[in-house]
Amino acid sequence: MALCLSASKSIAFNIRCSNSTSDSLPSSSVFKSLKIPRFWPWQKVKMGPLTVSPMGFGTWAWGNQLLWGYQDSMDSELQQTFNLAVENGINLFDTADSYGTGKLNGQSEKLLGKFIRQFPGDKQVKNDIVIATKFAAYPWRLTPGQFVNACKSSLDRMQIEQIGIGQLHWSTANYAPLQERALWNGLVAMYDKGLVRAVGVSNYGPKQLLKIHKYLDDRGVPLRSAQVQFSLLSMGSDQMEIKNICDSLGIRVIAYSPLGLGMLTGKYTPSNLPPGPRGLLFRQILPGLEPLLTSLREIAQRRRKTIPQVRGIAINIKVAMQVAINWCICKGTIPIPGVKSVKQTEENLGALGWQLSSDELLQLEYAALDSPQKMIQNVFQTK
């Protein structure tokens, strides 16, 4: 049974879960008036040579028309979204060379590069931004050199000199094991050439994670991060084993989909589904999530009472989102919720600056175990 990490493990990740439910959730107006940081310097997370914020933001939606309804007209607000995040201490942004549909392939990287160049703030703040991009294991990328070229193409799209974390987007071990070794050698080569400051993987299961860690370690390349689907909807045995392996090897877990594609926001119900493919998925899973959603609402309700300016159900939904993200932080992962609006950014930033109590963590985890439906795992995740 997957339950809360001990306090000592949480401290090791520079994030401490509170033993009290009295911590109040910070509001935007309080931060703006007092200029209090969203998190303190000692709460930043070390990842080899990199220092990143305890939460990053994902940019899958930036350029994706099919799933997220991207349009060019959104770029202005996306830039405001980026600026707001950086101004509030967020310096980790996750992207991929495959993010963007059709002719917009690579659009997410292009936009990130543009927003960094045009960021109006302090130069040092700009220099501290860490881009974590993922390189797709396309079937035509068969040699280490082709994988290195993919990295160079990403650098060109973003117009930066070095990538923070270069990640293999998925493993080909299940269907093209010979290609897998070439991709690993590509990671080694891009690290040795100084194209990336650190390397990571995405969608690797426990067995393959151990294999690639040893392979890279034998060649003097530290594996710094492992990105997996991790949330209250994705805390099965494989995900928890991945987390334990990463803890033991000094690998940071980057948690994507910490809100279960939006199912943990409290915004959707079986009669109020999002459009497109997400709606089909939500229709299958949402009816079985009531125990978990009820616990999220209960904790959100208790905590929202500590914020005097809170009024109405919309804020309660917002706090439920923050509770779900804060759970990921308390588990020692770096969640990267996706953002595509200023409103979403403000809401997600509210997950910082406070901690769930140990009792609240247990309540959420028992509720998650009691919920008959779970998130469908990424088909690319290996064993």
Side-chain angles (χ1 to χ4, degrees):
M1 184 177 291
L3 297 177
C4 179
L5 291 176
S6 68
S8 61
K9 287 186 179 179
S10 295
I11 291 171
F13 278 89
N14 299 323
I15 298 293
R16 183 177 61 82
C17 295
S18 169
N19 287 319
S20 170
T21 59
S22 63
D23 294 340
S24 63
L25 288 166
S27 69
S28 298
S29 61
V30 170
F31 278 116
K32 287 176 182 176
S33 61
L34 298 181
K35 304 297 183 186
I36 297 174
R38 291 284 181 173
F39 53 90
W40 301 105
W42 58 82
Q43 292 178 308
K44 291 183 179 179
V45 180
K46 289 292 291 182
M47 196 182 298
L50 306 170
T51 301
V52 301
S53 45
M55 176 179 72
F57 281 139
T59 63
W60 182 17
W62 300 11
N64 189 301
Q65 295 175 317
L66 177 64
L67 197 61
W68 301 106
Y70 169 80
Q71 299 294 331
D72 292 343
S73 58
M74 298 169 61
D75 289 357
S76 176
E77 183 165 16
L78 289 177
Q79 185 160 18
Q80 294 176 50
T81 294
F82 174 85
N83 290 347
L84 178 64
V86 175
E87 289 163 2
N88 280 274
I90 302 298
N91 75 329
L92 176 64
F93 293 88
D94 180 77
T95 183
D97 64 358
S98 61
Y99 284 0
T101 49
K103 65 180 182 179
L104 294 174
N105 197 47
Q107 181 74 353
S108 175
E109 289 185 335
K110 292 176 183 176
L111 289 173
L112 264 179
K114 174 185 174 183
F115 297 162
I116 292 172
R117 293 190 301 275
Q118 296 181 354
F119 179 69
D122 184 81
K123 183 177 180 181
Q124 186 55 52
V125 172
K126 183 188 296 188
N127 291 339
D128 288 342
I129 293 171
V130 175
I131 300 299
T133 196
K134 300 180 289 295
F135 310 112
Y138 290 136
W140 55 85
R141 291 176 176 170
L142 297 172
T143 68
Q146 289 171 321
F147 215 48
V148 169
N149 287 339
C151 179
K152 291 179 178 178
S153 295
S154 289
L155 287 167
D156 289 342
R157 276 190 291 272
M158 291 185 279
Q159 296 182 40
I160 59 177
E161 294 181 359
Q162 191 179 43
I163 290 166
I165 312 170
Q167 306 162 97
L168 176 51
H169 203 156
W170 66 83
S171 169
T172 65
N174 289 343
Y175 60 92
L178 295 180
Q179 183 187 11
E180 178 92 341
R181 188 58 56 90
L183 299 177
W184 291 3
N185 287 331
L187 285 177
V188 172
M190 63 179 70
Y191 180 81
D192 288 343
K193 291 176 182 293
L195 302 178
V196 300
R197 295 187 65 191
V199 300
V201 293
S202 178
N203 297 311
Y204 266 63
K207 293 180 180 178
Q208 280 301 107
L209 182 61
L210 287 169
K211 288 179 183 178
I212 190 171
H213 174 270
K214 183 178 187 308
Y215 189 86
L216 295 177
D217 189 59
D218 288 346
R219 286 152 183 80
V221 179
L223 181 61
R224 298 298 188 187
S225 67
Q227 187 173 150
V228 293
Q229 185 170 261
F230 191 90
S231 73
L232 283 162
L233 290 182
S234 301
M235 47 177 281
S237 58
D238 278 357
Q239 307 309 91
M240 301 313 294
E241 185 178 356
I242 291 167
K243 177 67 173 58
N244 291 336
I245 289 171
C246 288
D247 290 350
S248 67
L249 296 176
I251 302 169
R252 292 292 182 184
V253 173
I254 299 176
Y256 73 79
S257 293
L259 294 173
L261 296 178
M263 274 183 276
L264 297 181
T265 63
K267 179 180 177 181
Y268 300 105
T269 67
S271 60
N272 176 34
L273 300 170
R278 278 199 306 154
L280 299 175
L281 178 65
F282 283 30
R283 190 183 303 277
Q284 299 175 47
I285 298 177
L286 270 177
L289 294 185
E290 195 51 39
L292 177 55
L293 294 176
T294 297
S295 286
L296 283 169
R297 287 192 293 266
E298 288 174 354
I299 293 173
Q301 180 71 16
R302 287 199 300 267
R303 285 183 169 271
R304 86 178 185 85
K305 289 179 181 178
T306 66
I307 309 174
Q309 67 271 34
V310 166
R311 295 287 186 275
I313 187 65
I315 298 297
N316 195 31
I317 289 174
K318 181 179 84 169
V319 177
M321 295 168 59
Q322 296 164 358
V323 169
I325 295 172
N326 194 271
W327 178 86
C328 292
I329 295 174
C330 281
K331 300 303 287 187
T333 73
I334 306 172
I336 50 168
V339 289
K340 59 177 182 176
S341 71
V342 169
K343 181 173 182 282
Q344 285 180 339
T345 304
E346 290 175 339
E347 290 172 349
N348 289 335
L349 284 169
L352 298 172
W354 60 282
Q355 294 87 36
L356 289 162
S357 71
S358 56
D359 287 343
E360 288 171 329
L361 291 170
L362 287 171
Q363 178 184 346
L364 289 170
E365 289 161 19
Y366 279 125
L369 292 172
D370 285 343
S371 296
Q373 291 290 347
K374 302 292 184 291
M375 188 67 176
I376 297 172
Q377 292 305 308
N378 194 313
V379 295
F380 286 109
Q381 181 169 307
T382 59
K383 294 295 185 182

